């Protein structure tokens, strides 16, 4: 995403209530201060890189149903 980070994109789009709970944060570094702070602040679901297609499908299913069951998709 040239010129904008994933966090910036989230913050711009999350202003729309219908989109706020439909984000999946894909990262290989959930332990960093910045990533952890973002997840705490936004309550996004997290998909840890590197992930398999089945994991992406599960993440999409979770946000599509609106279920807040498991925030870290493994």
């Amino acid at each position: 995403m040239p010129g904008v980070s994933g966090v910036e994109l989230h913050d711009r789009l999350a202003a729309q209530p219908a989109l706020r709970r439909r984000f999946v944060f894909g990262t290989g570094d959930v332990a960093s201060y910045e990533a952890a702070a973002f997840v705490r602040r936004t309550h996004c679901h997290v998909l840890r890189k590197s992930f398999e297609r089945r994991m992406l499908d599960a993440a999409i299913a979770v946000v599509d149903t609106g279920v807040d069951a498991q925030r870290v998709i493994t």
Side-chain angles (χ1 to χ4, degrees), residues 16-53:
Q16 300 176 37
L19 297 177
R20 188 170 295 131
R21 302 292 280 183
R22 298 187 58 89
F23 285 89
V24 176
F25 181 52
T27 184
D29 186 18
V30 292
S32 76
Y33 173 79
E34 293 82 9
F38 174 77
V39 172
R40 277 193 309 274
R41 175 174 66 85
T42 64
H43 303 283
C44 280
H45 293 277
V46 177
L47 185 59
R48 291 185 179 167
K49 295 178 183 175
S50 74
F51 54 85
E52 298 173 8
R53 171 69 189 261

